[in-house]
Amino acid sequence: MLTGDSFSSSIFAIELGKFQVETVQSVSGLQLDQDVVEVRDVSPAGELLIRKQAGSRKTGEITITRGMDKSAAFTDWIRATLINADLDAVRQNITIALTDAKKQTVRRIHLTNAWASRWEGPSMEASEAGPATEQVTITYEDIIVE
């Protein structure tokens, strides 16, 4: 790869705890946000001073879209989260690994204490010929980009 070339965003893998999620079509919503705190002071000369400071980091959500297939591990985790609602047992660390054309990991994005907060099933229409997909919203407490 030449200097200045970007990596393709279409080659990635998702690891949920100790296993790799079988099939995924897309991941959206990856972002790192921080609160902005505005501080207003008055100087000794009576002038209004407005400063902005970094506040706390925000938690976030991502959406994973995948084809509905026979894969079990990810589906079982979603079911345990949304139906059993035992968050202490199902919280997992998720890693999204962006890879290059040679399948070497070039960047890792870690989501800490993640759990499925929403599931959306496929839209079904008799006139459609596309694959059945599901969307899962994953809520996490912290994000670390390597």
Side-chain angles (χ1 to χ4, degrees):
M1 177 172 266
L2 295 175
T3 300
D5 284 351
S6 295
F7 297 107
S8 173
S9 65
S10 65
I11 307 172
F12 62 95
I14 297 178
E15 300 161 7
L16 176 62
K18 296 180 181 177
F19 63 88
Q20 186 167 344
V21 175
E22 296 87 350
T23 58
V24 174
Q25 289 183 358
S26 69
V27 175
S28 61
L30 283 169
Q31 60 188 43
L32 181 58
D33 290 326
Q34 191 166 5
D35 286 329
V36 177
V37 179
E38 191 172 275
V39 179
R40 295 174 181 255
D41 290 324
V42 177
S43 72
E47 297 173 346
L48 178 63
L49 303 173
I50 301 173
R51 298 186 185 179
K52 295 192 181 221
Q53 298 176 334
S56 60
R57 269 200 336 209
K58 296 181 182 181
T59 61
E61 294 181 342
I62 63 167
T63 300
I64 297 175
T65 302
R66 68 184 201 128
M68 296 190 75
D69 56 21
K70 295 181 180 180
S71 61
F74 192 55
T75 302
D76 290 345
W77 179 71
I78 294 166
R79 187 178 299 115
T81 304
L82 293 172
I83 296 172
N84 299 345
D86 186 3
L87 291 183
D88 291 332
V90 297
R91 287 181 195 264
Q92 293 281 336
N93 294 332
I94 294 178
T95 300
I96 301 166
L98 183 63
T99 58
D100 62 14
K102 295 177 184 176
K103 307 257 192 246
Q104 301 296 314
T105 300
V106 293
R107 176 149 305 159
R108 297 176 82 75
I109 302 162
H110 302 282
L111 309 176
T112 306
N113 290 330
W115 51 281
S117 59
R118 182 173 186 261
W119 175 84
E120 184 178 329
S123 297
M124 295 177 263
E125 292 185 38
S127 62
E128 290 291 321
T133 61
E134 65 182 348
Q135 290 187 331
V136 180
T137 300
I138 306 292
T139 301
Y140 58 88
E141 293 178 2
D142 196 16
I143 182 171
I144 299 168
V145 180
E146 290 182 355

